[in-house]
């Protein structure tokens, strides 16, 4: 029995270097145990965000480079992304504030910015992938006239007399994207509803999200989008348990909401994800945003950035997420454009002169997951002999098995990956290395 092992070690500049290893007698002292009978959540896919900033940068690329960019993310030799995220109205990674309605007397529904930037990029991604890209849509702010602070930025709340109007706008926005061939199948109530930001933001309590989900569910059904799922929270993991309790305490919210979305900006909190999944197993949980913020992580090395990504993906997968979405697909050399200067790094960055793009370290580590764990894969139970090794395991729809292992230490670690406690694939996991094993399911 053989497995293909793909390793990446940035210090040795090895990227997706694949080789074969054969099974042998397992070493229980260095064992990564996989339990095929312990079957957990079904995974739906990896992807990134189609922001106006990303789409603007994409349009700056020479025509000859655009297909290469799309292949790098969505093609069979790239990350094989199958899902994405899109903002409804503007976000901080837009060229400026904009909204679908400009005022209470506005009888038009404005989609010009979407048609100019976002929708063409999504269509090109679908061409590169060869299939539709499933989209999660999330609003950063209602139009200013609907808010208590009369500003799309700096928090504020949705006016009580605008709740039904805003729910109808979101549903119309989703229906418009679907009419353009963009497969929106999830929509969040609000991006980061507990954060007053200098950019596009709006505050909801947990109960308010639950109450608004009822209106949004009804509005989606009215415009023929009954299959679109409504998601809540779309914020950090540290408050997840409390927020889920608060939101689902609203009568009817449990039926209106399909699940929750999460970000990484307050740390791991993987147990919080697990607790919610255990308490409400019918609710799906997606990771929907994380990035290298220059304001927080500017001093990190490429290795540290890549390992931060891998560590978070591993922990989220084992905790029960059903989808994983990175933030911007592409940014310029400064980490924008961003209309309030909130610059970040993306896995792919535009060259300073705009002639092409550069691949960042985190791109290669994401690929160890997204290239091998396919949509429809089932998370398998797994355990490790030491906290020095981080691991997850999946069974793909074709029956193949995948294990991803991460070594963030400076020591070489002998490992034995086994399904039955007896035979295993033995190899040495080099210092600061990520490895992906893929093999065919054993038959009795």
């Amino acid at each position: 029995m053989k497995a293909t092992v793909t390793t990446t070690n940035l210090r040795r500049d090895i990227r997706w270097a694949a080789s074969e290893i054969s099974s042998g007698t397992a070493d229980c002292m260095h064992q990564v145990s996989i339990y095929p009978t312990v079957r957990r959540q079904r995974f739906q896919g990896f992807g990134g965000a189609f922001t106006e900033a990303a789409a603007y940068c994409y349009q700056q690329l020479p025509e000859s480079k655009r297909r290469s960019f799309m292949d790098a993310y969505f093609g069979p030799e790239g990350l094989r992304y199958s899902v994405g995220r899109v903002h409804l109205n503007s976000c901080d990674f837009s060229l400026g504030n904009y909204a679908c309605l400009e005022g209470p007397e506005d009888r038009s529904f404005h989609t010009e910015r979407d048609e100019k930037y976002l929708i063409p990029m999504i269509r090109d991604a679908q061409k590169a992938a060869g299939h539709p890209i499933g989209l999660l849509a999330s609003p950063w702010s209602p139009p200013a006239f609907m808010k208590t602070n009369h500003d799309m930025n700096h928090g504020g709340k949705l006016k009580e007399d605008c709740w039904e109007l805003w729910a109808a706008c979101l549903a119309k926005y989703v229906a418009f994207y679907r009419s353009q061939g963009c497969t929106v199948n999830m929509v969040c109530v609000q991006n980061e509803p507990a954060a007053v930001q200098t950019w596009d933001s709006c505050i909801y309590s947990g109960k308010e999200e639950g109450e608004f989900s009822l209106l949004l569910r009804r509005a989606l059904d009215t415009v023929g989008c009954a299959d679109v799922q409504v998601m809540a929270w779309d914020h950090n993991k540290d408050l997840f348990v409390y927020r889920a309790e608060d939101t689902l305490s609203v009568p009817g919210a449990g039926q209106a909401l399909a699940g929750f979305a999460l970000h990484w900006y307050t740390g791991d909190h993987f147990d919080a994800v697990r607790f919610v999944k255990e308490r409400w197993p019918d609710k799906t949980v997606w990771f929907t945003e994380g990035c290298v913020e220059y304001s927080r992580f500017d001093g990190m090395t490429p290795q540290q950035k890549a390992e931060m990504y891998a560590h978070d993906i591993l922990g989220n997968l084992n905790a029960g997420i059903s989808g994983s979405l990175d933030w911007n697909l592409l940014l310029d050399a400064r980490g924008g454009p961003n209309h309030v200067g909130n610059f970040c790094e993306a896995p792919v960055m535009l060259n300073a002169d705009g002639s092409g793009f550069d691949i960042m370290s985190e791109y290669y580590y994401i690929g160890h997951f997204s290239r091998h764990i396919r949509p429809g894969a089932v998370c398998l139970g797994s355990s490790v002999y030491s906290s020095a090794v981080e691991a997850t395991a999946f069974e793909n729809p074709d029956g193949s098995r995948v294990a991803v292992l991460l070594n963030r230490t400076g020591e070489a670690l002998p490992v034995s990956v086994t399904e039955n406690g007896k035979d295993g694939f033995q190899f040495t996991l080099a210092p600061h290395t990520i490895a992906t094993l893929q093999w065919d399911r054993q038959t009795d």
Side-chain angles (χ1 to χ4, degrees), residues 350-413:
L350 199 67
N351 287 348
D353 62 2
S355 63
F357 56 86
D358 296 318
I359 303 293
M360 303 292 106
S361 59
E362 51 268 35
Y363 171 94
Y364 296 100
Y365 274 49
I366 293 171
H368 275 268
F369 301 91
S370 64
R371 288 171 52 81
H372 301 279
I373 301 171
R374 306 308 302 142
V378 174
C379 186
L380 304 178
S382 61
S383 60
V384 296
Y385 70 92
S386 165
S387 60
V389 176
E390 301 171 55
T392 193
F394 281 80
E395 181 179 292
N396 280 320
D398 65 2
S400 63
R401 299 268 165 75
V402 174
V404 184
L405 284 66
L406 176 67
N407 176 9
R408 292 191 291 164
T409 78
E411 304 294 327
L413 301 172

Side-chain angles (χ1 to χ4, degrees), residues 99-406:
C100 57
L101 294 179
E102 295 179 351
E105 305 304 320
D106 189 0
R107 294 295 178 261
S108 300
F109 193 83
H110 300 282
T111 57
E112 298 89 349
R113 298 280 279 269
D114 305 84
E115 294 175 72
K116 182 176 181 179
Y117 294 111
L118 295 162
I119 289 171
M121 187 181 189
I122 294 168
R123 287 173 174 163
D124 283 357
Q126 294 185 145
K127 289 178 185 177
H131 56 74
I133 301 297
L135 295 171
L136 177 146
S138 191
W140 265 241
S141 174
F145 76 90
M146 294 188 190
K147 296 176 64 183
T148 57
N149 66 342
H150 308 289
D151 185 357
M152 290 188 71
N153 306 328
H154 306 104
K157 302 191 74 167
L158 180 62
K159 293 179 181 178
E160 289 184 12
D161 61 354
C162 292
W163 278 45
E164 289 195 12
L165 175 59
W166 180 229
C169 284
L170 290 176
K172 188 172 183 178
Y173 229 142
V174 169
F176 167 72
Y177 264 82
R178 285 160 67 103
S179 74
Q180 300 300 303
C182 302
T183 312
V184 177
N185 46 35
M186 290 179 286
V187 60
C188 289
V189 171
Q190 169 66 37
N191 173 72
E192 299 187 348
V196 175
Q197 307 283 24
T198 58
W199 55 85
D200 322 56
S201 46
C202 187
I203 301 301
Y204 292 76
S205 69
K207 285 187 171 59
E208 286 169 340
E209 275 204 280
E211 291 163 356
F212 188 82
S213 72
L214 304 178
L215 297 178
L216 184 54
R217 176 72 275 155
R218 190 181 311 142
L220 288 166
D221 294 347
T222 299
V223 298
C225 296
D227 60 317
V228 175
Q229 297 181 334
V230 179
M231 308 285 280
W233 193 219
D234 208 6
H235 207 165
N236 295 321
K237 291 176 273 186
D238 58 324
L239 300 178
F240 186 28
V241 176
Y242 311 121
R243 190 71 179 211
E245 289 174 341
D246 209 21
T247 299
L248 293 175
S249 71
V250 174
Q255 290 70 47
L257 287 168
F260 300 92
L262 298 171
H263 301 178
W264 78 358
Y265 301 109
T266 55
D268 292 349
H269 294 284
F270 302 133
D271 284 337
V273 183
R274 186 175 296 107
F275 296 154
V276 170
K277 285 294 296 180
E278 289 172 352
R279 186 168 175 185
W280 295 283
D282 62 317
K283 300 306 175 192
T284 186
V285 178
W286 277 62
F287 178 79
T288 52
E289 187 182 316
C291 69
V292 178
E293 301 169 281
Y294 286 161
S295 60
R296 296 177 62 201
F297 304 125
D298 194 31
M300 295 182 79
T301 66
Q303 185 77 51
Q304 290 171 326
K305 294 172 185 176
E307 290 178 352
M308 179 172 67
Y309 262 79
H311 168 75
D312 194 70
I313 294 171
L314 281 162
N316 290 335
L317 291 173
N318 288 335
I321 66 163
S322 293
S324 185
L325 293 164
D326 187 34
W327 193 201
N328 299 275
L329 288 166
L330 178 66
L331 293 172
D332 63 25
R334 288 198 309 160
N338 184 291
H339 71 84
V340 293
N342 182 33
F343 300 128
C344 301
E345 182 172 294
V348 180
M349 301 287 283
L350 199 67
N351 287 348
D353 62 2
S355 63
F357 56 86
D358 296 318
I359 303 293
M360 303 292 106
S361 59
E362 51 268 35
Y363 171 94
Y364 296 100
Y365 274 49
I366 293 171
H368 275 268
F369 301 91
S370 64
R371 288 171 52 81
H372 301 279
I373 301 171
R374 306 308 302 142
V378 174
C379 186
L380 304 178
S382 61
S383 60
V384 296
Y385 70 92
S386 165
S387 60
V389 176
E390 301 171 55
T392 193
F394 281 80
E395 181 179 292
N396 280 320
D398 65 2
S400 63
R401 299 268 165 75
V402 174
V404 184
L405 284 66
L406 176 67

Side-chain angles (χ1 to χ4, degrees), residues 41-63:
Q41 82 275 15
R42 190 170 296 277
F43 193 72
Q44 297 181 43
F46 290 91
F50 297 92
T51 61
E52 188 178 60
Y56 175 81
C57 290
Y58 175 66
Q59 292 184 7
Q60 309 312 303
L61 284 170
E63 190 68 34

